[in-house]
Amino acid sequence: MEEVKQIITDIKNRKFRPIYFLMGEEPYYIDNISKYIEANVLSEDEKGFNQMVLYGRDVNIDDIVGHAKRYPMMAEYQVVVVKEAQDLSRTIENLVSYAENPQPTTILVFNYKYKTIDKRKKLYKTIKKSGVVFESKKLYDNQVGDWIRRVLSGQNYSISPKASHMLIEFLGTDLSKIANELDKLKIVLPEGTQITPEHIEENIGISKDYNNFELQNAVGSRNVLKANQIIKYFGENPKDNPMIVTVALLYNFFSKLLYLHGLTDKSPRSVASALKINPYFVNDYITASKNYPMRKVSGVIAILREFDVKGKGVGSNAVKQGDLLKEMVVRIMN
C-alpha cells in the first residue's frame, strides 16, 4: 500500500519515470496504477496523438520499442501502455537495450499480470535503475480483512468484523471484486458509516443469517437447529452456496482448531496471533475447541476430506448437494 501511494504521489507531482513495469499475482494495484497514469499524465487534448494502448498478444518487443522511441506531438510526453504484457514473457528480456537508454519524453507502462520477471536477470536490474518495478503480491486470506479496513478508513468509512468476513467469504481474495462491491456501498451510504452485515445483505445480496460464516459458528457452538436451517437454505440455493466453498472454509476452521489445541498459551492475544485471525473471532474458536477435543477435530478433518471428494462428484453423482451437506454436518456434530 505504501509503495502504491508513493508511486501515485510522484505521478501527481509530475515526477515521472520513463518505464513503469507493473507485475505480480494481484492485478488490482497493477490496474489502478496503470489507469491513474492513463487518466492523469496527459490532458484530454494531448491524449489523441500521444497516448497509445497496445496488447501483448498483438505486438512484439520491437513494435513496442518503435512506438516508445517516437517523439510526442504538441505535448511534453507521450504515454504508451502495454496491457496483458505477460503474453510477451518469452521475449521480454529483449527490452534490455531500450531500458538501458529509454526515451525521456515517453512514459512506457507494462501491465505484466499474474507473473514476475526474473529478478536475477539484466532486465529487472536495468529497469530498477531508470524506472519503476512494482510487484503486486497476492494477499493471504488472513490479510484481506485488514486491507478492507484500511481502504475504507482512508475514505472515511469503517466496517464491522462480521461484515468484512461476509465479503471475503462471498468474494474470496479478489481485491477488484471486493473494491467494486465497496464502491456500490459507498454510493448508498453516507461518509462516516460503519458498514454492517445488514448493509451487506440489503445492497449486495449476501444473507447475513444463512452463510458459511454463520454455519461455521453454528457447527462450532454445536447449535444443531441453526446448522440444519443453514444447510437447508444452502440446499435450496446451491448456485449461491457451492458445497466446495463450504467444505473448504470448514476445513480451514477445523485445521485452525487443531493448531489451537497444540498451543500452550491460549490467551486471546496469543490465539489471535497464532491463528492469524481478528481478535473479534477468538471466542468463537475457544468455544469450538471446548466442544471439539483434539481427537474429535482430527476425525472431523477426515470427514471433510471425504466430503470434499464427494462434493466434486466422485462416487456421489446422483446425490443432491443439500443431502451431502446434511450428512456431512450430522457426522461432524455427532
Side-chain angles (χ1 to χ4, degrees):
M1 284 283 285
E2 291 305 315
E3 189 177 358
V4 175
K5 287 180 182 177
Q6 188 59 57
I7 292 171
I8 296 298
T9 298
D10 286 345
I11 295 168
K12 191 179 294 184
N13 294 329
R14 302 194 70 78
K15 296 178 181 178
F16 303 131
R17 307 295 289 276
I19 303 176
Y20 290 84
F21 202 97
L22 315 174
M23 63 183 189
E25 290 295 320
E26 177 49 67
Y28 176 77
Y29 288 116
I30 295 173
D31 287 336
N32 276 18
I33 295 171
S34 182
K35 287 175 183 176
Y36 191 85
I37 291 172
E38 291 179 61
N40 293 282
V41 171
L42 302 177
S43 68
E44 290 303 317
D45 291 337
E46 293 171 334
K47 288 177 184 178
F49 291 106
N50 299 290
Q51 187 153 294
M52 178 176 296
V53 176
L54 308 173
Y55 288 87
R57 66 178 178 273
D58 299 326
V59 296
N60 57 41
I61 298 300
D62 289 339
D63 295 330
I64 295 167
V65 171
H67 288 295
K69 285 186 174 180
R70 292 177 181 172
Y71 290 97
M73 294 180 63
M74 296 176 290
E76 189 177 358
Y77 295 97
Q78 71 158 339
V79 175
V80 179
V81 179
V82 185
K83 297 190 175 182
E84 309 301 336
Q86 66 274 11
D87 290 341
L88 296 163
S89 60
R90 292 183 179 180
T91 57
I92 197 67
E93 284 293 321
N94 295 340
L95 187 66
V96 168
S97 60
Y98 176 80
E100 288 176 330
N101 186 29
Q103 182 77 6
T105 55
T106 294
I107 297 170
L108 179 58
V109 184
F110 286 87
N111 294 355
Y112 199 86
K113 296 180 181 178
Y114 314 113
K115 293 183 178 181
T116 59
I117 54 174
D118 193 332
K119 296 178 182 178
R120 299 166 298 178
K121 292 188 176 180
K122 191 173 182 179
L123 179 62
Y124 174 82
K125 296 173 182 177
T126 304
I127 296 177
K128 284 285 285 185
K129 289 179 183 178
S130 61
V132 170
V133 180
F134 169 71
E135 183 177 354
S136 186
K137 296 181 179 178
K138 195 82 172 175
L139 294 186
Y140 294 112
D141 290 357
N142 62 294
Q143 296 175 314
V144 179
D146 283 338
W147 179 84
I148 293 172
R149 179 183 55 78
R150 289 197 306 270
V151 167
L152 289 173
S153 176
Q155 298 164 346
N156 199 25
Y157 289 86
S158 61
I159 189 168
S160 73
K162 181 178 175 181
S164 177
H165 197 95
M166 286 170 63
L167 282 175
I168 298 167
E169 176 208 313
F170 189 72
L171 301 170
T173 59
D174 188 321
L175 300 189
S176 296
K177 287 183 179 179
I178 294 173
N180 286 339
E181 296 303 332
L182 292 177
D183 287 341
K184 292 177 187 177
L185 289 170
K186 285 180 286 184
I187 290 171
V188 297
L189 300 174
E191 283 191 25
T193 300
Q194 181 183 55
I195 297 170
T196 65
E198 287 74 20
H199 293 138
I200 301 291
E201 183 174 53
E202 290 168 11
N203 297 286
I204 299 179
I206 307 171
S207 172
K208 67 181 177 63
D209 297 314
Y210 299 101
N211 57 66
N212 283 308
F213 175 68
E214 292 298 330
L215 176 63
Q216 174 184 296
N217 281 345
V219 171
S221 61
R222 288 191 174 276
N223 187 333
V224 176
L225 176 61
K226 186 175 180 181
N228 281 328
Q229 288 173 335
I230 296 171
I231 289 299
K232 183 176 183 293
Y233 178 85
F234 283 5
E236 293 169 350
N237 301 274
K239 289 184 179 179
D240 293 332
N241 303 279
M243 181 173 175
I244 189 171
V245 175
T246 300
V247 174
L249 290 170
L250 286 175
Y251 183 87
N252 183 54
F253 176 69
F254 278 97
S255 295
K256 287 181 177 177
L257 278 190
L258 195 62
Y259 191 75
L260 172 58
H261 278 298
L263 294 177
T264 52
D265 182 0
K266 291 185 172 63
S267 64
R269 179 178 293 182
S270 176
V271 170
S273 176
L275 301 187
K276 295 181 172 59
I277 59 174
N278 189 307
Y280 177 87
F281 299 115
V282 166
N283 285 338
D284 296 335
Y285 282 84
I286 296 294
T287 298
S289 70
K290 294 175 182 177
N291 288 327
Y292 296 88
M294 182 178 285
R295 182 177 294 180
K296 175 63 176 174
V297 172
S298 298
V300 169
I301 288 175
I303 292 170
L304 289 167
R305 285 175 175 160
E306 174 189 339
F307 279 86
D308 178 54
V309 174
K310 288 183 176 180
K312 293 170 182 173
V314 179
S316 59
N317 288 331
V319 183
K320 292 181 180 179
Q321 175 179 303
D323 294 333
L324 282 175
L325 284 170
K326 185 174 182 180
E327 181 187 351
M328 180 183 76
V329 169
V330 167
R331 286 178 58 183
I332 288 172
M333 298 182 73
N334 281 345

